Structures are given as C-alpha cells and as structure tokens.
Amino acid sequence: MPFIPHTEDDVQAMLDTIGVQHINVLFDEIPENLRIHDLNVIESGLNEMTIARDMKARALKDGGLACFVGAGAYEHHIPAAVWQITSRGEFLTAYTPYQAEASQGTLQLLYEYQTMMANLMGLDVSNASLYDGASALAEAVLMATRANTGAKEPRILIAGNLHPHYRKTVETLVRPQGIVLETLAYDEKTGSIVRERLPTIQHQDVVALIINQPNFFGGLEDVDALTDWAHEHQALVIGVVNPIAMALLKEPGSWGKSGADIACGEGQPLGIPLASGGPYFGFLCTKMEYVRQMPGRLIGRTVDQEGNIGFSLTLQAREQHIRRAKATSNICTNQGLAVTAATIYMSLLGASGLADVAKASHANAKALCDGLKAVPGIRLRFNAPFFHEFVIECPCAADVLVQALLKQGILAGLDLSILSPELSRCLLVCVTETKTKADIEVYVDAVKQALLNISSATTV
Amino acid sequence: MLIFELSSPGRRSHLQAPSCAPEPTDIPAAYLRVKKPVFPEVSELQVVRHYTTLSRKNFSIDTQFYPLGSCTMKYNPRGVHQLASLEGFLQHHPLTPVSHSQGYLQSAYELQTILAEVTGLSSVSLTPMAGAQGEFAGVAMIRAYHLSRGDTARQEFLVPDAAHGTNPATAVMCGFKIKEIPTDKSGDVDLEALRVAVGPHTAGIMLTNPSTLGVFERQIREIAKIVHAAGGLLYYDGANLNAILGKCRPGDMGFDVMHINLHKTFATPHGGGGPGSGPVAANDRLKPFLPIPTVGFDGKHYRWLNEKDCPQSIGRLSAFMGNAGIILRANIYARLLGGEGLCRVAEYATLNANYLMARLKQAGFTLAFPDRRASHEFIITFKKEAKTFGVTAKDIAKRLLDFGVHAPTTYFPLLVPECFLIEPTETESKQELDNFVDILITILKEAEVSPEIVKQAPHRLPVRRLDDLKAARELDLKWRE
C-alpha cells in the first residue's frame, strides 16, 4: 500500500491487541448516518512513473519563457547550494521548533536569518517570517495600530503607488478591525509620492504612513522627506521594500532623521524561485521598542543548564498557542523552509554579492529602458529614477505587445490596464541580473518588429 | 559557532554573484545606502558545511519517529517533492498569461475538485497560506455572510475550551468576541452550555472533529442543529482531517465552511515551521464569499476567477495565489494515492493510534479518555507520575529526545493536566510503535528508580535544557560583533 508499511500479519496482531475484528470497527463512534464507504469519485491511484510523465508534460506547458515581468516576484540567479542544502530532510521534514533541544539546527539558522535581515533593513529586530509580502504588510498595519495606541478611529495612509494586490490584501486582513485606509495620490509625471502634496492632518488618528521603495512602478521615493513628514505628525512609518534593492538603496533604519519604524516586504528575491507565486516568505523588522507588538515567531539566544550557548523560541506570550484570544496575531505555521533558503542565499552572496546583484539588475533595466526609448512610438511613462523596473507607454494597447512577444517566447511585462484606464497603454517591465546584453537586444528588436507589424496592419 | 564567527573581511563566493556590476550613475546620492549591512564573509564550502552541520542538529520525519499530536507528521514522499520542483514549475511567474499557465492551473483545479469531494462541500479556494489563514478566511466569510443579510448583531463566536489557540486568535482578528464552551467528562461538547450560549448574537462556532482530545464528537448533528437554529454558522478546523478521510465528511456533519491543512493531511513537508497551505472549502451558502483567486474551467481551458467573477468575495489574502508549490505537492500526493489510497490514510492512522493506545494502557499508562476510541491521536496523562515521582510531562518529553524519538505534543489541550497528545500517523510501522512503547516503559522505570535522570534530560543532544527565562528577560535576537 502506498506509504503504509503494514503487512497482513501486522494488521492482525494489532487488531488482536486492540480487541476488535476489523479496522472499520474503529470508526464505530461516528454516527451511522454520517458514514461514507469510499471515495471512488476520486480516480484510482497512479504510480510514480505514470505521474512523473504527466507532471513533466504540465511543467513543459508552463516553462521556457524569458521573464521580464516583476511586479512583486523577481527572477534572480539561485546558487546551486541554496536548495541542495535546504532540501535536506532534516530541514525539509522538521516542524516548528517547540522542542528546542531537538531543533537547534533550525533555531540557530533562524537566529542568523534574524540578524542578517535586521542588518539589511538597518533595524534592531526581525521576526522569523510571515506568509508573504502582502500579508506581512497587513500584519505591519495591525502592529502599528497596536503600537500607536492614542488613535480612537485608527487611520492608515497608503501610498497610491503601492502594489494593488498588497493594497487589496491589507483591506481583507484589517477590515474587521475598523481601521480606515486612505490613499495618497501619486504624482502623474513621476509616479512618486510628493511631500508637498501630502494632506493636512488635523487630528491624532493617523497611526501610520505606508511608503514603498521602490514603488510599484519601479520608481524611487524621497523616503527621507516622507519619513520626516510622518514623524512630524506623530505617525509611524511602515516601509515596504525589496530586500535586494536594500543592498544598494538607503535602508529603512536610516530613512529621515529617525528611521522607519517598521520595514516589511516580500523575501522571495532572496533565493526563492518564482514557482507560480509561492511559497515565498514575508519579512518584518522593527525597532526594539516595538518588539512586544510584533507578530510571529522570534528566536532568542540563551544558554543551557551547563552554560552552553543555545537557541529557543522566545516572547511566546505574544503568540496564539499561549495567549489565545489575546495574541498579537493568529499566525502559527509560517514559511520556515523559504527562510532557510534565504539565509543560505544571503550567506553565499554576502553584502558585496547582494549589492552586485542589485547593481547588475539596475544596469540591465537601464539598458533595456534606453533601448526601448529609442523605438519610435514608445515612451517612458514616469520621469523618475528607478531600480530594476520601469513603465513604458506603447502606441497600442499593452496587451497587443504582450501577445506579440509571447509568440517569441518573451514574457514582456505586466499590462497595467488592470489598474486604471489612464494606464491602459502601459507596460511594467522588469530586468534582473539574469538577462544578458543579447537578451535585451532580442527584446528591443521584438518590440520594434511588433510595432511595425501593427502599423502595417492598420495601414492596410 | 555562528556563520558570522566564520567570517573574514574580504572573503567572498565570487561565482554566486554577477561579475562587473557597474555603479549606478542615475540614482541621486541621497537615495543610496552608505554603509554595507553586516553579513558573513565566507566561502561556498564554509556555507555548505555550516548549514549541513546545523541540519544535523534537527529532529525530522526523515530521521526520527515524530508523533507530534495534531500536526500529522507523516512521511513526505520524495517523488512528490521532486516533481513539484520541475524547472517549468519553478520558472513560472505568477502573473504569466493563462495561455502559458495551463499546467499549474489544471493541477490547482484538480485539487479543488478532490478537496470538495473529500470534505463534502461544494467549492474550494486554495489561496490561504496556512491553517491559521484558512481559519481567517472561513470566519471572515461567515462575517461577510451575516453582514450581506444586514444582520449586524452577530458579534460573538463560540469556541470550545479544547480548541487550538489559533481558533480564538482568528475570531478576534475577524472582529468577534469569544465565548468559550466547556467540554463534558467524556470529551464531547457540553450541549447544555451550548444551548444557553447561542442566540441572536451568535455568528458561529469553530469546531475540530475529531476534537483535539482525540475523540470523535458524537453529537455533531445536534450541535449543528442548535447553532443553525440560532442563525449561526459552523466552522470546521481541518487540523484532524487525516482521521476521517473517506469515512465521513464535514459537509455531511453540517459544517458550512472549513480549512484543510495540506501540510498535514496531504503530506507536504513542514519545512521546520512552514510553508503550509490552508485551502478553504464552503457549501453553497458561503461559496460567494470565498477568497480570490480561484481556478475555473470551461471544459477546455483553465483560468483565474477574480473580483469580476466573485463580487462578494472577502478578497485577497496574498500578493499572488497562495503557496502554489504546496498545492502542486498535494495534487501529486492525492493522485498517487487515489480515492482508495485516501481512505486507507484514515484507516491506518486510526489503527496505529488505537494500537498504540491499547499497548500503553496495558503497560500501565493513564489514558485521558479510557472509554473512548482513539481517532488518529489520543491523550495520556502523567498526573499520577508527577505526583508520585515528581517527574512532569515535560521531563518525560525531554527524556524521549535522548532515545531518538521526537516528543509528542505536550500540555495541549490545556484541559488535561501533564498530558501527551500522541499522533503516530499511518506511515509508521508496527515495529516503530512497539519501540516507542518500550522506550516509554524504560523512562517510566527511570522515573521511579532514578528520577533525576529524567528531570535533567536531555543528556545526549547538542544542548541540555535551555534557559527560556533568560531568553525572554535578556532578549538577544540579533548577533552583534
């Protein structure tokens, strides 16, 4: 039987010990009118060889495209060692390290992760992970509301150039708490948030300002000015950042005069494959003064009874398995394995390697952007410095270009018409260190050709 | 030793990063980072050796018996892991047009169908990323349902005192007040207390069945009747679904919505604390409120269903579509087993639990519910031993580690003092279970003869018992030079 080791003799001996005739007797406490007798509507089982053939065919349907889409999930080179080590059974098939003495491997790794992530963000403390970037932001909003206790009707200011799926996730997860979300419009020309146009705040209910660096359009924000503005108005600052970008750009802990209060985001760029959207992991870092408001697991370094250094889950009084209804979050299982991969990735790359990934991604994005600007009919939508993503405006619906390049095996970018009518001709394009000069030339030529085809089709 | 302590300034693994990355010239200096973060500076071999060494300090299913109650630590098939890690799946960007996503979409759609059959509910959304997020989705759906009917008075959620901690924490996140319902002596919900508790303020109840006490809630139809008659809905916590696969279905019991832990019942790896996956299944009444996106099929092509298709949805729970890699694994596992294999899961999980319970009873251990059948798990209590020998459940748990067995869940549920919640799962052999009984007998003897050995355990692990108080008082959450 698949994955069941029992022989007939085993089963008989076990039933004898229990004192019943048949396995089905063991279900006799289930009322008869609730019993079902099979799951035959589900197809019969397959063997490993048959299913392997089937899954390989499916994988082939989904793979093979040259990826120029980012929008929250980024293709980076993943060193071979990352998943070879991460896939070791001792990491893969362990669970939450409740028995600390039998989980020192995972616990020490998480402590090292907390150190690297907090250092990357320039903040005091990192938790051991949340589900993904969007839900991490929702947890950051709830945390800021707990930390900024003065507000009667808590309001959160959200940059209008935040990833729309992040915005929607936050709405789903914080709506029941009666928190009001207010959108800050971005500047039409730059795609960024401008300090001069921020609203006049007249009351104390604004608990936090959410800014993202880079923003959803790939552009860079004047984070110093925005942070200082928020702090002048007694609001906390939540920075949603790309962790790779933070090797190059100013880290949240150094924003403005006193630094962002919470940094969170998507950890996927750090060694996690695109994989249809998950599993990724969310990270969340903060200043020491807010540590007791944090959601999720925290690992602390301590000693054993002989004075040897060891690691254990700590401040568990914040968590659901201890505090139940009074916990800071309901989170239990998080994304431990993805964090294992990220920790190994960061160790292999080091600070210099990570900065090189960021610089190479930026340079490649710049090269493609320059190439595209030279194509007649294409223009850069926003005039602002960017990291590794930018928005182009096409002379046609963006989807026409997407479909044309798809035929050549290129995933051209994200059609932004889903966001608003004024972005209907806009394409969000991402380039990372994985692309070569030749890849970029192929992309530009494909766009030229597609536009020629479109214009000749319309002239005919 | 920490990875940072292996570090030497200037050492790098050059092959891992792009070479000749130019300094940016078009980013204002004020936007740039001034000081590099403190990261380890180590070679590739140092990294590989360090983390391989660390991995060996873990207990895991691959290396030890892991009877952690309520967590279903069964074997995670290697073939499943390999196939979900095929290049085409790993390369696939979540925002790829559906024309080039049919492989994943088909797999997700099939899993939705399988989960609907297994649960007896009509529709499934795979997006929740863990059990607790599935709980959030389900309870938020119940909230949305009441509000859609203009019923704003339902502010209270009922939760049995034996429930997982996530249940009350979830209901609070969804904006509800909690009312605890007591359990009767036989381990069932106290029906009289339930009748008194329900009313026009009741939004719903969260239940696990079999409960966390390791027994089947026999009055479930009656509970459903009481809660539904009061206008409330029923949420099923799917943590213990492994116990009833193909034997009975939450939908038939009267539940309106539930989550399934794919990392338990569908054998996906627990990863040292995740990723899990907590799909949510609902009946027709709650279907319109399922989180988006879900996968639809028109007979020819698969596609994402979004806001436009599901205007009453509670919305998104993540940036993309949940833990896709876990969803793939669950699909492969379910299709390897097929309908008959899924039924066997419950049968042999239950056989193993009842066998282990019978053996421990014969060996003189105290069962929490001696007159009940075990589901896929059961509880023993060391109340007597704690009193007689001064040896607690925690001490015995730590001593088990010395014998190379992961401890069962301890001190949960909170109702039973000094308890072990033991879940052997269906993938363990009779020999393994017999070995576990022998070890527990040995420890019990030690507790009688030389209790200090047990109280000071563990002795043979990388560290001795840790000072948790120091960890909390003198917070050290980040290494400093």
Side-chain angles (χ1 to χ4, degrees):
Chain A
M1 292 175 285
F3 314 125
I4 294 174
H6 302 59
T7 64
E8 279 179 28
D9 288 348
D10 288 339
V11 174
Q12 199 50 57
M14 294 168 84
L15 289 173
D16 290 346
T17 303
I18 300 167
V20 298
Q21 294 287 318
H22 193 271
I23 290 182
N24 264 332
V25 179
L26 300 174
F27 296 91
D28 59 3
E29 288 194 0
I30 302 177
E32 193 52 44
N33 61 357
L34 288 179
R35 295 285 298 273
I36 58 168
H37 301 287
D38 60 62
L39 284 173
N40 289 346
V41 283
I42 298 170
E43 283 179 40
S44 290
L46 305 171
N47 65 22
E48 199 176 279
M49 184 176 69
T50 311
I51 208 158
R53 193 170 168 143
D54 182 58
M55 293 314 289
K56 282 175 188 166
R58 291 185 194 190
L60 221 51
K61 286 185 193 171
D62 288 6
L65 296 175
C67 184
F68 288 85
V69 176
Y74 301 96
E75 182 186 63
H76 289 287
H77 172 69
I78 303 174
V82 172
W83 282 92
Q84 286 209 3
I85 305 298
T86 302
S87 296
R88 282 180 66 90
E90 299 93 328
F91 284 133
L92 189 69
T93 72
Y95 200 19
T96 304
Y98 290 124
Q99 292 293 343
E101 299 86 352
S103 315
Q104 285 298 299
T106 288
L107 286 164
Q108 182 178 331
L109 179 141
L110 290 173
Y111 177 85
E112 293 176 358
Y113 162 78
Q114 288 175 186
T115 302
M116 289 183 222
M117 192 51 96
N119 288 349
L120 187 56
M121 296 300 140
L123 286 164
D124 301 325
V125 50
S126 163
N127 76 3
S129 85
L130 298 165
Y131 303 130
D132 81 334
S135 60
L137 175 59
E139 289 281 10
V141 167
L142 294 172
M143 180 182 154
T145 310
R146 285 192 296 273
N148 207 336
T149 45
K152 283 201 187 80
E153 191 187 282
R155 293 170 356 141
I156 303 280
L157 303 180
I158 299 192
N161 56 17
L162 179 73
H163 195 306
H165 289 177
Y166 278 47
R167 167 67 193 241
K168 284 182 176 154
T169 303
V170 171
E171 281 172 15
T172 309
L173 294 173
V174 314
R175 191 188 294 127
Q177 302 300 326
I179 297 167
V180 181
L181 305 175
E182 279 177 38
T183 308
L184 301 177
Y186 60 83
D187 181 70
E188 270 301 299
K189 286 205 179 77
T190 62
S192 311
I193 305 295
V194 184
R195 178 184 165 137
E196 286 67 36
R197 291 216 227 125
L198 290 174
T200 325
I201 298 182
Q202 276 145 357
H203 51 85
Q204 299 290 310
D205 285 352
V206 173
V207 297
L209 165 69
I210 299 175
I211 41 185
N212 50 160
Q213 181 78 324
N215 62 45
F216 178 63
F217 303 124
L220 302 184
E221 301 283 349
D222 187 354
V223 289
D224 292 333
L226 297 174
T227 299
D228 287 342
W229 177 86
H231 285 158
E232 283 157 23
H233 292 85
Q234 283 75 51
L236 298 179
V237 172
I238 302 173
V240 183
V241 300
N242 178 326
I244 297 262
M246 291 305 111
L248 176 64
L249 303 175
K250 188 182 280 182
E251 68 281 15
S254 299
W255 292 0
K257 293 189 187 79
S258 47
D261 303 283
I262 303 172
C264 63
E266 179 53 69
Q268 176 274 333
L270 301 170
I272 320 298
L274 293 169
S276 298
Y280 298 168
F281 73 93
F283 62 86
L284 191 144
C285 301
T286 192
K287 298 173 176 170
M288 205 54 185
E289 58 190 294
Y290 303 122
V291 68
R292 278 162 215 280
Q293 304 300 338
M294 281 186 111
R297 311 260 192 239
L298 282 171
I299 284 59
R301 182 160 64 163
T302 182
V303 293
D304 71 5
Q305 59 200 52
E306 290 174 356
N308 303 307
I309 285 174
F311 303 85
S312 69
L313 291 167
T314 194
L315 294 188
Q316 295 190 68
R318 302 162 299 110
E319 293 193 67
Q320 50 75 27
H321 62 285
I322 307 287
R323 258 336 249 298
R324 300 176 75 82
K326 294 197 176 85
T328 53
S329 167
N330 71 342
I331 193 164
C332 176
T333 293
N334 49 55
Q335 306 282 116
L337 196 70
V339 169
T340 305
T343 307
I344 298 173
Y345 177 85
M346 287 191 279
S347 301
L348 280 170
L349 271 286
S352 304
L354 211 59
D356 285 345
V357 172
K359 285 177 209 163
S361 299
H362 172 73
N364 283 345
K366 180 94 183 12
L368 180 59
C369 182
D370 289 345
L372 289 173
K373 278 197 292 192
V375 177
I378 300 276
R379 72 178 196 98
L380 193 62
R381 177 64 180 77
F382 298 115
N383 179 25
F386 58 82
F387 173 50
H388 67 356
E389 267 180 304
F390 55 90
V391 177
I392 54 167
E393 194 164 46
C394 321
C396 53
D399 188 53
V400 174
L401 212 57
V402 170
Q403 295 304 329
L405 266 67
L406 209 46
K407 289 199 182 97
Q408 299 191 43
I410 299 170
L411 204 50
L414 182 69
D415 171 6
L416 292 184
S417 64
I418 44 159
L419 288 189
S420 71
E422 69 259 30
L423 296 173
S424 67
R425 288 164 175 253
C426 289
L427 193 65
L428 178 63
V429 184
C430 173
V431 196
T432 65
E433 88 284 8
T434 59
K435 299 295 177 283
T436 62
K437 207 175 159 206
D439 294 334
I440 290 167
E441 280 164 12
V442 169
Y443 186 108
V444 174
D445 287 345
V447 168
K448 275 185 200 155
Q449 196 53 50
L451 293 183
L452 276 178
N453 292 347
I454 295 162
S455 68
S456 64
T458 36
T459 9
V460 175
Chain B
M1 186 173 265
L2 291 165
I3 187 94
F4 304 97
E5 292 160 343
L6 300 170
S7 190
S8 288
R11 188 183 290 143
R12 278 190 65 178
S13 309
H14 283 279
L15 277 183
Q16 315 296 354
S19 41
C20 63
E23 292 298 324
T25 52
D26 52 344
I27 298 178
Y31 290 12
L32 294 173
R33 184 167 194 136
V34 179
K35 220 176 138 204
K36 275 185 197 170
V38 175
F39 270 35
E41 297 182 76
V42 283
S43 72
E44 179 169 348
L45 172 61
Q46 284 181 307
V47 172
V48 168
R49 191 173 286 161
H50 177 72
Y51 289 108
T52 302
T53 306
L54 280 192
S55 77
R56 294 168 70 188
K57 295 184 180 179
N58 271 1
F59 276 34
S60 67
I61 303 173
D62 278 7
T63 48
Q64 275 94 1
F65 180 42
Y66 212 125
L68 195 63
S70 221
C71 295
T72 314
M73 302 298 284
K74 62 167 96 174
Y75 173 57
N76 309 140
R78 274 294 189 272
V80 174
H81 180 60
Q82 188 183 50
L83 293 175
S85 310
L86 288 169
E87 200 56 29
F89 292 132
L90 295 187
Q91 283 176 352
H92 184 252
H93 192 286
L95 300 175
T96 307
V98 291
S99 58
H100 290 67
S101 308
Q102 292 292 301
Y104 175 72
L105 284 168
Q106 181 185 353
S107 307
Y109 184 82
E110 283 169 357
L111 185 64
Q112 287 177 186
T113 311
I114 291 169
L115 295 181
E117 294 295 350
V118 162
T119 58
L121 292 162
S122 66
S123 314
V124 174
S125 168
L126 302 173
T127 63
M129 288 174 287
Q133 214 189 30
E135 286 181 27
F136 179 92
V139 175
M141 288 163 68
I142 291 176
R143 180 176 182 269
Y145 166 80
H146 290 311
L147 292 178
S148 76
R149 293 154 44 95
D151 190 348
T152 53
R154 299 189 180 274
Q155 303 278 344
E156 198 170 87
F157 238 89
L158 308 176
V159 178
D161 51 7
H164 294 112
T166 48
N167 291 180
T170 297
V172 167
M173 270 185 99
C174 289
F176 291 107
K177 290 190 190 78
I178 305 299
K179 187 175 266 182
E180 276 208 350
I181 305 295
T183 303
D184 69 22
K185 277 202 178 119
S186 64
D188 290 325
V189 166
D190 182 337
L191 279 193
E192 279 322 300
L194 179 66
R195 283 199 186 91
V196 174
V198 296
H201 48 274
T202 304
I205 187 168
M206 299 181 87
L207 277 177
T208 311
N209 194 17
S211 73
T212 59
L213 301 172
V215 295
F216 192 85
E217 173 55 65
R218 292 168 292 194
Q219 321 164 97
I220 183 59
R221 292 293 298 174
E222 187 61 24
I223 292 171
K225 219 183 275 174
I226 294 168
V227 174
H228 279 150
L233 298 184
L234 281 86
Y235 183 87
Y236 180 92
D237 176 336
N240 291 346
L241 188 67
N242 211 54
I244 59 165
L245 278 184
K247 297 296 154 190
C248 60
R249 308 189 300 175
D252 301 332
M253 296 177 204
F255 285 95
D256 299 282
V257 59
M258 67 176 288
H259 81 267
I260 301 113
N261 299 85
L262 297 184
H263 50 295
K264 298 181 182 178
T265 313
F266 288 81
T268 70
H270 283 70
S277 179
V280 59
N283 59 14
D284 287 338
R285 172 151 51 180
L286 289 180
K287 177 183 174 184
F289 305 99
L290 279 169
I292 50 170
T294 59
V295 182
F297 182 50
D298 63 8
K300 236 176 162 179
H301 301 290
Y302 301 90
R303 73 176 180 94
W304 292 109
L305 302 178
N306 274 307
E307 288 92 339
K308 277 185 196 145
D309 308 283
C310 321
Q312 284 187 289
S313 164
I314 58 160
R316 284 191 158 271
L317 296 168
S318 61
F320 299 107
M321 46 289 274
N323 279 336
I326 306 302
I327 288 160
L328 271 179
R329 283 171 175 80
N331 168 299
I332 300 166
Y333 174 76
R335 290 195 301 136
L336 279 172
L337 261 55
E340 70 284 5
L342 290 171
C343 293
R344 279 197 297 262
V345 164
E347 288 168 4
Y348 288 84
T350 305
L351 176 67
N352 275 359
N354 278 282
Y355 172 71
L356 198 53
M357 183 168 86
R359 287 234 34 215
L360 289 173
K361 188 181 177 186
Q362 286 165 8
F365 290 86
T366 312
L367 304 180
F369 299 98
D371 303 328
R372 299 290 305 265
R373 286 267 186 243
S375 59
H376 64 318
E377 61 188 357
F378 63 95
I379 300 174
I380 58 177
T381 167
F382 295 104
K383 197 179 162 189
K384 193 178 67 190
E385 289 78 4
K387 215 172 158 190
T388 326
F389 311 129
V391 166
T392 64
K394 181 177 179 177
D395 297 330
I396 297 171
K398 298 298 182 198
R399 185 64 180 146
L400 270 172
L401 304 178
D402 277 336
F403 285 91
V405 169
H406 195 281
T409 299
T410 52
Y411 298 97
F412 179 83
L414 309 170
L415 313 183
V416 186
E418 298 298 334
C419 70
F420 271 10
L421 179 62
I422 305 174
E423 180 182 5
T425 83
E426 72 278 9
T427 57
E428 296 297 336
S429 66
K430 179 172 174 294
Q431 290 105 303
E432 199 67 62
L433 305 182
D434 288 337
N435 184 44
F436 179 67
V437 174
D438 293 343
I439 293 170
L440 269 181
I441 292 171
T442 306
I443 296 175
L444 211 57
K445 263 185 212 139
E446 287 178 344
E448 198 180 339
V449 180
S450 42
E452 280 311 304
I453 292 185
V454 185
K455 282 194 230 176
Q456 296 298 320
H459 304 273
R460 302 175 196 159
L461 270 75
V463 289
R464 303 290 304 277
R465 219 175 279 197
L466 291 161
D467 188 344
D468 289 330
L469 264 182
K470 178 182 158 72
R473 276 196 198 135
E474 303 163 30
L475 279 181
D476 175 358
L477 307 171
K478 186 176 110 170
W479 175 81
R480 282 177 185 81
E481 271 174 286

